[in-house]
Amino acid sequence: MTDVTDGVLHTLFRSEQGGHEQVVLCQDRRSGLKAVIALHSTALGPGLGGTRFYPYASEEAAVADALNLSRGMSYKNALAGLDHGGGKAVIIGDPEQIKSEELLLAHGRFVASLGGRYVTACDVGTYVADMDVVARECRWTTGRSPENGGAGDSSVLTAFGVFQGMRASAEHQWGDPSLRGRTVGVAGVGKVGHHLVGHLLQDGARVVVTDVRDESVRRLTDLYPEVTVVADTDTLIRTEGLDIYAPCALGGVLDDVTVPALTATVVCGAANNQLAHPGVEKDLADRGILYAPDYVVNAGGVIQVADELNGFDFERCRAKAAKIFDTTLSIFARAKEDGIPPAAAADRIAEHRMAEARPR
């Protein structure tokens, strides 16, 4: 057994980060599909979380990501007040190279085989059009186009929710929810980051961005020429005068190297699983950096896709996503009261709700 495989099994069965109910390995040789579906908890209801399509370095890395992401969805859905547990799917491979209708249909059949224990949606590398294809084989699919009975692009309300979390962070840190005059660094201006920049500029913030994809930066600067662009994330986190750092790409970005280098005093972004390992939340607190827990502030998208299951209404969802402001403030207050970092306070609240829902 390799060290990596042993690490994955340790997470699944023996680590405090584990506790998953079910992990399914999926393969369809005809289409080239290799996927992992992880269900962390169904205590509150069917697991809900997107399908990520990504060129992982190994199958073991894909399983590890599915475990981490599905656990995060349990906590996200619990704090968002949804009657859903946490689940996540990952498809292994470069979507620009291997994505096909046949592959997506095969994925839909695997999701359907779980009989409604897992509800899927969009994530990194998958889009509304992809969910329309998956839905042809699986009725437990959200994030579909309005033409096919869905809610459309969930990144709209994800960005709106992150913006509300950022306003709450500003209120807690500086006594004013307005971001006017604040400098915000956004790492990743794809689906969510692009919309977030719009909210920030409208509120009067100065925005500095970076992205590994040149086309994403060009699309943004064509629309908002006033934004400043820097070469990479390493440059962004060291930018002098930065008030808020918003990670909006992949997770694991807050680690032993980046945290000491941060110039911002607030971290609030859309990326999942931003803390690279346990203990980073304390490192942030020790430096006086306020961390808005990622799964709290980025819940707007899951609020949107969950609503789709009951007949989507955008204004109803927007009103729910606006409450992320109050939820974030309550977590900061709980953290101060208990003398713990905000991430730990958020975990306690989510774990209490899940525990209360379990049959006794």
Side-chain angles (χ1 to χ4, degrees):
M1 182 180 294
T2 67
D3 290 341
V4 175
T5 302
D6 187 56
V8 168
L9 292 177
H10 181 273
T11 298
L12 179 60
F13 291 127
R14 300 186 293 276
S15 166
E16 291 183 1
Q17 301 299 310
H20 295 70
E21 295 179 9
Q22 186 176 9
V23 179
V24 181
L25 305 181
C26 312
Q27 181 171 234
D28 179 69
R29 291 187 181 276
R30 182 173 179 176
S31 66
L33 172 74
K34 289 184 179 180
V36 183
I37 302 173
L39 275 170
H40 177 260
S41 170
T42 57
L44 293 170
L48 173 62
T51 291
R52 177 166 294 190
F53 205 142
Y54 188 75
Y56 291 95
S58 67
E59 289 84 358
E60 291 85 1
V63 175
D65 201 31
L67 294 178
N68 290 333
L69 291 168
S70 60
R71 182 178 184 271
M73 290 306 304
S74 288
Y75 285 71
K76 180 186 298 189
N77 293 337
L79 272 177
L82 301 176
D83 294 326
H84 282 283
K88 204 78 174 186
V90 301
I91 297 175
I92 303 168
D94 186 343
E96 295 184 4
Q97 298 293 325
I98 70 168
K99 186 189 292 184
S100 67
E101 179 179 80
E102 186 178 20
L103 183 147
L104 292 170
L105 290 172
H107 181 61
R109 290 191 292 272
F110 281 115
V111 175
S113 73
L114 294 174
R117 280 172 53 78
Y118 168 58
V119 181
T120 196
C122 301
D123 197 77
V124 174
T126 59
Y127 301 85
V128 170
D130 299 327
M131 292 304 107
D132 283 344
V133 176
V134 171
R136 285 159 50 189
E137 291 284 357
C138 178
R139 64 190 180 95
W140 295 287
T141 305
T142 60
R144 296 163 294 156
S145 66
E147 295 79 9
N148 287 282
D153 183 6
S154 63
S155 64
V156 174
L157 285 185
T158 302
F160 177 71
V162 173
F163 177 61
Q164 297 307 316
M166 205 174 283
R167 292 180 62 248
S169 300
E171 170 71 31
H172 181 84
Q173 192 80 335
W174 301 300
D176 185 350
S178 173
L179 298 171
R180 180 168 298 280
R182 300 291 174 190
T183 300
V184 182
V186 181
V189 289
K191 290 191 289 187
V192 176
H194 183 95
H195 293 298
L196 177 61
V197 169
H199 288 300
L200 294 171
L201 292 173
Q202 188 174 22
D203 202 40
R206 295 184 294 268
V207 179
V208 185
V209 306
T210 191
D211 197 293
V212 295
R213 295 177 178 269
D214 291 339
E215 60 268 30
S216 296
V217 174
R218 284 195 299 269
R219 184 168 65 97
L220 184 79
T221 54
D222 285 347
L223 190 61
Y224 305 117
E226 64 269 40
V227 304
T228 301
V229 179
V230 296
D232 50 35
T233 300
D234 190 59
T235 303
L236 180 64
I237 64 173
R238 290 172 167 80
T239 299
E240 290 299 323
L242 204 64
D243 295 300
I244 302 172
Y245 172 50
C248 293
L250 297 178
V253 294
L254 299 173
D255 58 25
D256 298 334
V257 175
T258 58
V259 169
L262 280 170
T263 60
T265 55
V266 171
V267 175
C268 178
N272 288 309
N273 299 329
Q274 294 170 23
L275 305 178
H277 57 78
V280 175
E281 70 281 3
K282 184 178 184 302
D283 294 338
L284 288 163
D286 288 346
R287 286 205 60 212
I289 299 172
L290 179 68
Y291 173 64
D294 47 47
Y295 67 80
V296 176
V297 302
N298 69 13
V302 77
I303 289 170
Q304 178 171 327
V305 297
D307 194 74
E308 185 178 319
L309 298 171
N310 301 303
F312 178 65
D313 182 279
F314 182 82
E315 290 307 319
R316 178 174 63 207
C317 284
R318 194 177 190 278
K320 289 180 181 178
K323 294 179 181 178
I324 289 173
F325 178 88
D326 294 324
T327 301
T328 306
L329 278 180
S330 70
I331 288 166
F332 292 150
R334 172 71 178 269
K336 183 177 181 181
E337 178 183 344
D338 292 353
I340 56 177
D347 284 356
R348 285 184 183 180
I349 297 169
E351 287 163 359
H352 177 75
R353 183 170 183 237
M354 287 187 278
E356 288 293 304
R358 292 192 181 102
R360 298 187 183 279

